[in-house]
Amino acid sequence: MRPDMQCIFITFSIIPFFYGTTTAQSDELPTLALSEDDTFNFDILGPLGQSVYSGGDIAPILRAAKQLEPGNFTSFTNAFYALANETKAQAEDPKYAYDQVNVRETWFHAAQYFRRADNYLHDDWSDPLIYTLWEEQTSAFDKAIAALPIPGERIQVFTDDFTIEGIWYLSTNKEAAHRPTLILSNGYDGSQEDLYHTVVVPALARGWNCLTYEGPGHPTVRRNQDLGFIYDWERVLNPLVDYLLLNRAEDIDESRLVSFGFSFGGYLAARAAAFEPRLAAVILDGGIMDVHEAFMGQLSEELVEIYDAKNKSAFDAAVLPLLKNPEAPSQLRWGLAQGLWAFKIQSPFEWLESVRSYNIKDVVDRIQMPVWIANAEAEGFFPGQPQKVADALGERATLHNFTGAAAYHCQSGAFTELSRVLFAWLNETLN
Ligand SMILES: *[C@@H]1O[C@H](CO)[C@@H](O)[C@H](O)[C@H]1NC(C)=O
Ligand SMILES: *[C@@H]1O[C@H](CO)[C@@H](O)[C@H](O)[C@H]1NC(C)=O
Ligand SMILES: *[C@@H]1O[C@H](CO)[C@@H](O)[C@H](O)[C@H]1NC(C)=O
Ligand SMILES: *[C@@H]1O[C@H](CO)[C@@H](O)[C@H](O)[C@H]1NC(C)=O
Ligand SMILES: *[C@@H]1O[C@H](CO)[C@@H](O)[C@H](O)[C@H]1NC(C)=O
């Protein structure tokens, strides 16, 4: 029996699915709704939130938002692609090229809008825009970081199996020779460029160095090396710590290396910390114990039944058509499309099977350093998971519960509050 599609939709629409969503329905949103489509609301709030740290300008984003039709992914791509083109033309205007402040601000904004235009394309892996928009965002971002007072520097760290892509930001703090250093990973869909406008700017302002990076499954490595996510993330983090100790010894305080995982990066950073004793502390925004459990908790009973019967063809036949169905909730379509693409698995059934390995249960005892964990009250991606990680870690964990305006997944739109709380904990913990 084919499952009742209506029932699948209802289940998915009541409990939104992946990064890019909140659990709240529109009348329960923590903020003014920017779209009737909750997922578009979140994806407009994202760049608005980053704009306080040079990641965009408010009226242009709201003008793009005005052109969106709920559930119409093409309208999202077109609105932000047009804005990106326009902003790129402004960045290229020779009249303002004398002004380094303008150069970096305008290129940062153009990069942001190219990234947003890419957000809803991944249901079709062969869409050439997935590559052209990313080349545009990378090139724009590179022009921006080259115009910083201390330019950001692209680095690569080679392993036997893949190349890690990173950006090194040296602290502007000249008082101390050796500065504390954050090593930052994004999650399910976010890029290392996004991290600049969420955590790197406030970290640099507080005297930290930052190394952002992307490993398998992350935007650049997925595109350029054709690699999906791996569960054993220490294969990415260990070489980065080696790199810092070897190549940045003059600038870092070796006793204050901190790993930061954003969103799904909350699993990745926790897993890696179990195999990286050289870290002084770990930040999980938010904490994730068991990815498979969290994903299964979002399925309708009918789908769970087909999945548990291990009927791959029936499960895939029920799920795959949702990708192209404009009637299906945006968060479901987006989450599925992004997950299959980023893990590089065509079959939803096989994808869910593969995430069984993304579980820190067996390694959590090996995490020996202090861990700060964010819980977001309106979390839609991994509700309940931060508490589980905190319980498993016991005294090593500090759980912070974000509510009110900061209640969105990853404190989207409230990054000042995030950094206020986060850096106070680091200051107290590392002293
Ligand atoms: C989606 O939006 C685009 C405008 O960006 C429009 O051309 C297209 O007709 C819309 N699709 C539907 C099904 O309304
Ligand atoms: C943006 O500019 C490119 C050319 O650089 C063009 O191909 C594309 O159609 C433009 N997109 C929009 C939405 O204007
Ligand atoms: C899997 O589901 C399909 C479609 O519902 C059905 O025809 C088939 O018999 C099932 N296979 C098994 C092994 O249960
Ligand atoms: C977070 O705060 C909300 C509102 O006070 C509460 O309902 C929820 O249980 C808290 N969650 C955690 C993990 O403390
Ligand atoms: C904590 O903050 C104080 C005041 O800014 C500063 O002097 C100290 O170095 C900070 N400690 C750490 C570990 O960041």
Side-chain angles (χ1 to χ4, degrees):
M1 266 292 290
R2 207 176 151 77
D4 176 350
M5 300 302 271
Q6 185 61 29
C7 187
I8 295 170
F9 291 167
I10 287 169
T11 306
F12 276 118
S13 64
I14 290 172
I15 308 170
F17 207 3
F18 295 106
Y19 183 97
T21 67
T22 86
T23 49
Q25 290 174 292
S26 295
D27 55 348
E28 299 163 1
L29 292 175
T31 55
L32 177 72
L34 300 165
S35 169
E36 286 166 39
D37 183 322
D38 282 358
T39 298
F40 283 2
N41 171 62
F42 187 85
D43 285 327
I44 299 160
L45 187 63
L48 285 177
Q50 292 189 16
S51 69
V52 300
Y53 296 135
S54 301
D57 215 352
I58 290 168
I61 295 167
L62 291 176
R63 188 167 61 107
K66 200 174 175 183
Q67 296 157 35
L68 306 183
E69 297 168 17
N72 182 338
F73 288 4
T74 308
S75 74
F76 198 102
T77 303
N78 288 353
F80 279 96
Y81 197 2
L83 175 58
N85 280 350
E86 212 175 275
T87 311
K88 179 183 175 184
Q90 290 164 353
E92 284 174 332
D93 189 336
K95 195 168 151 197
Y96 303 107
Y98 77 97
D99 176 2
Q100 288 298 285
V101 177
N102 172 67
V103 168
R104 63 179 178 254
E105 294 289 322
T106 313
W107 281 117
F108 271 139
H109 298 184
Q112 169 79 281
Y113 307 145
F114 281 119
R115 286 197 297 281
R116 299 288 67 86
D118 169 77
N119 211 51
Y120 287 96
L121 293 174
H122 297 193
D123 61 337
D124 176 4
W125 296 11
S126 64
D127 188 335
L129 271 185
I130 291 176
Y131 295 88
T132 49
L133 288 171
W134 213 256
E135 282 159 18
E136 292 274 20
Q137 89 82 23
T138 307
S139 147
F141 195 85
D142 284 352
K143 293 187 179 80
I145 58 175
L148 286 169
I150 301 181
E153 193 185 324
R154 292 250 179 213
I155 62 136
Q156 290 185 312
V157 176
F158 302 97
T159 77
D160 290 343
D161 306 312
F162 48 80
T163 300
I164 305 161
E165 297 286 344
I167 306 176
W168 169 248
Y169 301 94
L170 182 66
S171 165
T172 50
N173 173 13
K174 299 203 176 63
E175 284 160 32
H178 300 280
R179 267 88 52 161
T181 302
L182 281 175
I183 311 167
L184 302 111
S185 165
N186 218 321
Y188 196 63
D189 62 304
S191 64
Q192 62 174 333
E193 289 83 0
D194 286 305
L195 284 169
Y196 178 79
H197 305 293
T198 51
V199 186
V200 171
V201 171
L204 291 172
R206 289 171 170 87
W208 286 68
N209 301 309
C210 292
L211 175 61
T212 62
Y213 69 93
E214 293 184 2
H218 282 145
T220 308
V221 178
R222 173 65 183 83
R223 284 176 177 81
N224 299 347
Q225 299 173 53
D226 203 22
L227 295 172
F229 277 116
I230 56 174
Y231 76 96
D232 43 353
W233 202 249
E234 60 278 14
R235 288 164 62 200
V236 185
L237 190 68
N238 294 154
L240 287 165
V241 175
D242 293 344
Y243 166 85
L244 286 171
L245 296 176
L246 201 64
N247 297 282
R248 303 287 170 181
E250 283 180 13
D251 297 312
I252 64 168
D253 176 348
E254 294 181 11
S255 69
R256 285 189 291 165
L257 295 179
V258 175
S259 169
F260 179 105
F262 212 38
S263 187
F264 177 69
Y267 162 77
L268 303 172
R271 161 77 198 196
F275 300 89
E276 187 43 272
R278 295 172 291 182
L279 299 174
V282 177
I283 310 291
L284 309 176
D285 186 356
I288 302 170
M289 190 79 187
D290 181 343
V291 176
H292 188 260
E293 176 191 78
F295 284 4
M296 290 309 290
Q298 317 286 340
L299 298 186
S300 67
E301 277 175 33
E302 287 80 358
L303 277 182
V304 171
E305 212 171 284
I306 312 173
Y307 178 78
D308 285 345
K310 305 226 173 290
N311 194 331
K312 170 169 143 43
S313 56
F315 186 80
D316 289 351
V319 171
L320 282 173
L322 301 178
L323 284 174
K324 294 282 183 198
N325 186 339
E327 304 288 311
S330 296
Q331 66 261 17
L332 162 64
R333 289 168 60 202
W334 177 86
L336 270 173
Q338 178 62 27
L340 296 172
W341 182 78
F343 285 73
K344 207 186 154 210
I345 298 175
Q346 302 272 5
S347 148
F349 181 85
E350 284 172 15
W351 172 57
L352 280 171
E353 284 296 278
S354 80
V355 301
R356 286 184 193 277
S357 317
Y358 293 70
N359 188 328
I360 60 166
K361 179 170 70 316
D362 295 335
V363 300
V364 72
D365 289 342
R366 300 180 54 145
I367 303 175
Q368 289 301 325
M369 62 292 289
V371 182
W372 182 88
I373 304 163
N375 185 73
E377 192 188 357
E379 173 66 56
F381 194 11
F382 296 102
Q385 292 287 326
Q387 184 72 60
K388 290 188 181 190
V389 180
D391 291 345
L393 286 167
E395 284 181 352
R396 286 160 289 158
T398 302
L399 184 74
H400 185 89
N401 191 15
F402 285 99
T403 60
Y408 281 105
H409 179 73
C410 289
Q411 298 76 57
S412 194
F415 297 127
T416 308
E417 178 165 339
L418 164 62
S419 52
R420 177 189 310 137
V421 177
L422 171 62
F423 286 101
W425 179 82
L426 283 169
N427 187 284
E428 194 187 313
T429 306
L430 300 185
N431 265 338

